[in-house]
Amino acid sequence: MMIDYDVSDDWSEDAPDWLKSLVSSLDRNHGASTVLPLTVIVEEIAEWIELASGTDAWKKTANRDSLQWDLDKSVGAISSSLRAHIPGPLAAFQTAFGNLISSSSAVLSQPPGTRVDAVWTEALSTARNLLNALDSDQAVRASWDDLVAKAQDRTLARREYHPIVELLFEQLQRRGLSVSTS
């Protein structure tokens, strides 16, 4: 069973264990995930598209590979309900980003302010569209539903639900909601 040992004892006896565990999991200071929430990596990529320049930015294969690896891990951590709510924007961004990172050296060496090639504008616009989709009521609700479903799964041995918590936390903060763990 997936019960956090930091669960408070002020619950009624008939409160389900999964609910206690779910509430305790919202403590972001305990057992943080190693997977970046999708909102964080997509926003980071958008900032790189807008601002990163020089030979140490886009032309370096290691940098592009690192961004792709982080994106792949974040996409892999998306829960099923959320994935069902964002298939179009997610696929469009993945395609546009793939096109960008496989572009020619001439395109990748363009400094910010001169990036007019379609791969730059397409990657940036699809990143923004994906972020908007992730910020929607439906996407936040889907993340919540997936978190509750994971918390109720008695076969989980560890904190496999933590990437969902991290993404939900980011979604709520991006919507301007104050999320506290105290």
Side-chain angles (χ1 to χ4, degrees):
M1 187 184 315
M2 175 187 73
I3 299 298
D4 191 329
Y5 294 107
D6 293 332
V7 177
S8 65
D9 287 335
D10 57 347
W11 292 90
S12 67
E13 279 192 36
D14 61 338
D17 289 339
W18 69 264
L19 179 61
K20 297 174 197 176
S21 181
L22 176 63
V23 171
S24 70
S25 74
L26 296 176
D27 177 6
R28 289 177 36 93
N29 297 322
H30 184 252
S33 171
T34 59
V35 177
L36 290 172
L38 186 58
T39 53
V40 172
I41 187 61
V42 173
E43 196 160 85
E44 183 176 320
I45 290 170
E47 288 175 9
W48 266 68
I49 292 169
E50 291 178 318
L51 304 173
S53 64
T55 56
D56 288 338
W58 288 102
K59 283 184 70 176
K60 270 195 154 179
T61 303
N63 290 343
R64 295 191 315 271
D65 289 349
S66 177
L67 290 171
Q68 183 66 59
W69 187 85
D70 284 342
L71 178 61
D72 291 346
K73 294 293 278 182
S74 296
V75 168
I78 296 173
S79 53
S80 60
S81 293
L82 179 58
R83 189 177 299 276
H85 277 77
I86 61 165
L90 178 59
F93 175 68
Q94 288 179 294
T95 298
F97 184 64
N99 291 340
L100 173 62
I101 63 174
S102 63
S103 292
S104 70
S105 180
V107 170
L108 294 173
S109 64
Q110 294 173 345
T114 66
R115 294 177 176 158
V116 293
D117 194 286
V119 295
W120 292 107
T121 55
E122 186 69 16
L124 188 57
S125 68
T126 58
R128 289 181 179 144
N129 289 343
L130 178 54
L131 288 171
N132 287 337
L134 288 165
D135 292 344
S136 72
D137 289 345
Q138 298 85 357
V140 172
R141 195 172 303 120
S143 290
W144 174 254
D145 291 345
D146 284 329
L147 179 58
V148 170
K150 275 283 193 203
Q152 290 176 325
D153 185 348
R154 293 182 181 272
T155 65
L156 297 179
R158 305 189 54 87
R159 293 178 154 262
E160 292 94 337
Y161 56 91
H162 221 79
I164 300 171
V165 171
E166 296 287 329
L167 179 56
L168 180 59
F169 183 88
E170 291 297 327
Q171 286 174 299
L172 294 174
Q173 283 205 309
R174 289 176 53 80
R175 293 169 58 102
L177 299 174
S178 175
V179 181
S180 75
T181 59
S182 54

